Amino acid sequence: MKSNVYLKDLRNKSVAELNTELVAAKKELFNLRFQNATNQLDNTGRITEVRKNIARIQTVITEQTKVAE
């Protein structure tokens, strides 16, 4: 249910906003991987969650660019 709300929120944003959110998610993923490598990460499930969110953002960007064509 939580992912449906997140998807609705993503679909209401513009492509520029989605790109900035994508960059932020990729930075967060990098930081999580770095923390995991140095054994500082407590919640390893967050890596999977961020990876799925990146895929969701990229999917919505693709949907919106195809509609615009």
Side-chain angles (χ1 to χ4, degrees):
M1 192 64 171
K2 190 167 109 176
S3 64
N4 289 339
V5 174
Y6 184 67
L7 272 174
K8 286 180 185 177
D9 182 43
L10 289 178
R11 287 196 171 107
N12 290 331
K13 294 184 178 183
S14 68
V15 176
E17 292 172 330
L18 290 171
N19 282 327
T20 57
E21 192 163 336
L22 180 63
V23 169
K26 286 186 178 185
K27 284 182 183 178
E28 181 182 1
L29 181 61
F30 174 78
N31 290 332
L32 289 172
R33 285 181 178 161
F34 193 84
Q35 288 176 1
N36 193 29
T38 58
N39 291 327
Q40 295 177 349
L41 185 62
D42 295 331
N43 184 8
T44 57
R46 182 75 180 134
I47 294 174
T48 307
E49 184 180 340
V50 172
R51 286 180 64 216
K52 287 182 180 183
N53 285 343
I54 289 171
R56 288 182 183 111
I57 293 168
Q58 289 175 335
T59 301
V60 172
I61 290 172
T62 303
E63 286 175 355
Q64 289 185 0
T65 56
K66 288 197 182 226
V67 168
E69 290 177 356

